[in-house]
Amino acid sequence: MNLFSFLENAQNWTTASGAIPYRLGEHLFYTVVSVAIAAVIGIPLGILVGHTGRGNFVIIGFTNAARAIPTLGFVILMVLLLSSGAVPVLIVLAVLALPPILTATAAGVAGADSNAVHAARALGMTPGQVISKVEWPLALPLVLSGVRSATLQVVATATVAAYASAGGLGRFIVDGLASQDYPQMFAGALLVALLAIVLDILLGAVVAGLRRRARPTSDRRVAVEVSAAA
């Protein structure tokens, strides 16, 4: 049996509905939108918790609870409540992506260089200015590491979208299993793995670049402002 036969078939690489590019686009859509939803919710909450130092127990409890939820069972529950389609899948994936973004943001803001934060406050900066000019730039690499972790989890888990009749690369796995088409199953699993690797490399490069630039830049800015004030 040639496990690559599905990938080698030119008909599966057309722009037709159900072909590989189409399913790949669906998979990327679920990944990007769900991570974006989680970021819109998790980053502000993480900044608030990290800056004030309050609510850490809530984050820990929510993170543990979210990780304990069986993803497939959650999908089925959302389908029963909201019907099949993209909405229940996006809800499930956003809940999955929220804990790493929330915890990374809170940890990044809370772990910002205390000397830089104290210098900013000594200059009379408001809490909002301390966050935007000092804590956020220093926390950004760690925040993006949380986004990176969330993205990889969502890419792998987005295969469950097929069980909600919502498409994605998981469709190849489900359809291949139903028809015992092992090359199709193999293609779906391989494409998900390759997509995760590509996204991990891209996000890893962004995080590495920010780690090299964020701290020195922020520290210099605060140092210049302190010198000017003196």
Side-chain angles (χ1 to χ4, degrees), residues 4-180:
F4 291 91
S5 60
F6 186 85
L7 294 171
E8 293 171 349
N9 188 342
Q11 293 182 350
N12 294 324
W13 291 96
T14 64
T15 57
S17 175
I20 291 175
Y22 184 84
R23 296 301 186 196
L24 179 61
E26 290 179 323
H27 208 93
L28 283 172
F29 169 78
Y30 295 130
T31 300
V32 172
V33 173
S34 59
V35 171
I37 293 172
V40 168
I41 298 172
I43 290 177
L45 287 177
I47 291 174
L48 178 62
V49 172
H51 180 74
T52 62
R54 301 175 181 175
N56 286 322
F57 68 97
V58 176
I59 291 181
I60 295 173
F62 171 75
T63 299
N64 292 335
R67 289 174 176 171
I69 296 175
T71 305
L72 183 56
F74 195 14
V75 169
I76 294 173
L77 176 62
M78 288 295 100
V79 169
L80 292 175
L81 294 175
L82 303 173
S83 76
S84 60
V87 174
V89 173
L90 290 175
I91 292 175
V92 172
L93 295 179
V95 170
L96 176 68
L98 186 55
I101 295 176
L102 179 58
T103 54
T105 303
V109 172
D113 190 336
S114 58
N115 292 328
V117 173
H118 291 157
R121 289 173 177 166
L123 289 173
M125 289 186 180
T126 65
Q129 290 175 324
V130 172
I131 293 172
S132 63
K133 294 183 178 181
V134 181
E135 291 178 336
W136 173 251
L138 295 176
L140 186 56
L142 189 57
V143 174
L144 288 182
S145 294
V147 173
R148 177 185 180 186
S149 176
T151 301
L152 295 180
Q153 291 184 37
V154 169
V155 167
T157 312
T159 53
V160 301
Y163 292 98
S165 301
L169 293 174
R171 190 77 259 169
F172 296 138
I173 299 174
V174 173
D175 292 345
L177 180 63
S179 61
Q180 295 187 342

